[in-house]
């Protein structure tokens, strides 16, 4: 099995409505995001997936979130935790890879490239991961 990982970043504000502590107040992070794809078959160029394809798609998704108040995005239901952000980025990235690059991302295909995981770091030591296993 092969795995490829790229990273992107964005800066955004948020607060956690159902949290009791300092994170219930509006604050911001410089988020770092890793996207991982895996698969068992390399293309004719000896690559699982061209880094630039994955990186461009991830950057597009992160750009949508950059310099926003994440609480204004209804998908987060006023609680944009790192876990929910990771799930959101995973789903948006999956859609962009399917739409823009016509990739075989189906879990049923043995030759598929799988979007394995998305990691969202709020700090260098704190991350949430969303994955489909």
């Amino acid at each position: 099995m092969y795995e490829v990982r790229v990273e992107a970043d964005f800066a955004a504000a948020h607060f956690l409505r159902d949290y009791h502590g300092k994170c219930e107040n509006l604050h911001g992070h410089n988020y770092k995001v890793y996207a991982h794809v895996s698969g068992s078959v390399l293309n004719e160029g000896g690559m699982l997936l061209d880094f630039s394809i994955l990186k461009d798609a991830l950057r597009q998704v992160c750009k949508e979130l950059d310099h926003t108040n994440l609480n204004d995005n209804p998908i987060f239901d006023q609680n944009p935790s790192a876990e929910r952000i990771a799930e959101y980025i995973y789903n948006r990235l999956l859609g962009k890879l399917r739409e823009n690059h016509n990739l075989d991302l189906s879990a049923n295909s043995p030759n598929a490239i799988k979007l394995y995981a998305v990691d969202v770091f709020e700090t260098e030591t704190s991350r949430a991961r969303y994955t489909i296993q």
Side-chain angles (χ1 to χ4, degrees), residues 39-110:
S40 60
V41 178
L42 301 179
N43 66 18
E44 60 280 349
M47 294 181 283
L48 177 65
L49 177 65
D50 187 328
F51 286 122
S52 65
I53 290 172
L54 184 58
K55 194 181 321 180
D56 289 344
L58 181 60
R59 285 180 177 166
Q60 288 175 30
V61 174
C62 288
K63 186 176 181 179
E64 296 169 3
L65 300 173
D66 193 39
H67 284 79
T68 66
N69 179 345
L70 298 174
N71 292 76
D72 292 340
N73 188 328
I75 195 81
F76 298 124
D77 190 31
Q78 286 296 308
N79 276 313
S81 63
E83 293 86 349
R84 285 183 169 164
I85 297 166
E87 179 183 12
Y88 173 82
I89 292 172
Y90 179 98
N91 289 322
R92 292 286 296 143
L93 182 56
L94 191 64
K96 288 202 175 288
L97 291 171
R98 283 184 173 140
E99 291 167 21
N100 298 340
H101 300 287
N102 200 27
L103 293 175
D104 179 9
L105 296 161
S106 63
N108 299 332
S109 173

